Amino acid sequence: MGIRRIAAVVIGAALLYWGYRQFGWPGVAAVAGGLVLWMLLHFTRLMTVMQRAARRPIGHVDSAVMLNSRLHAGLPLVGVIGLARALGELMSSEGEQPEVYRWTDPGGASVQARFADGKLKDWGFQRPEADAPTER
């Protein structure tokens, strides 16, 4: 469990305690309702991203150049899937860290990204090799 998850649980418990101390049980109910709303918003965003990605072939993106330009270190995997609007093609072994995914556009250009613990570490852009010039 990461430090952010532990911090979220501690902050949630502190908010519940604050609600009880300030307003009693109605305060706990109000804070609990706010926390549930926050969790539902995150769940809805995740489901929306996954529904869009499910409609497209795995590993395909409209423009690898545009995807490459919008990536930055630390972006979560769900964020990259949202930008690509498709699941990436898994290039590493199952369960291996770092995870490596690739997205390819119709022109053959591709973006290959490495994720460690669900966060984007680095990525590379590769253009298709140019065909050798033909002689006439």
Side-chain angles (χ1 to χ4, degrees), residues 30-136:
V31 170
L35 292 174
V36 168
L37 177 65
W38 178 71
M39 290 187 312
L40 286 173
L41 287 171
H42 284 282
F43 180 76
T44 302
R45 179 178 178 266
L46 176 66
M47 289 296 106
T48 302
V49 167
M50 289 303 174
Q51 284 176 350
R52 284 184 191 148
R55 294 185 193 123
R56 307 217 18 207
I58 292 176
H60 291 280
V61 66
D62 290 334
S63 173
V65 174
M66 290 302 295
L67 177 61
N68 181 52
S69 69
R70 297 174 80 186
L71 296 178
H72 58 85
L75 193 63
L77 178 57
V78 173
V80 176
I81 291 171
L83 291 174
R85 296 182 181 245
L87 298 173
E89 178 184 0
L90 183 62
M91 304 303 292
S92 60
S93 300
E94 190 78 27
E96 178 183 318
Q97 286 290 330
E99 297 174 316
V100 179
Y101 292 94
R102 181 175 63 197
W103 288 268
T104 306
D105 68 10
S110 65
V111 174
Q112 189 164 331
R114 288 188 327 135
F115 295 87
D117 298 323
K119 302 285 184 182
L120 181 62
K121 292 300 174 192
D122 56 25
W123 66 97
F125 175 73
Q126 184 175 4
R127 293 191 185 273
E129 293 187 25
D131 295 330
T134 56
E135 294 184 32
R136 293 185 186 201

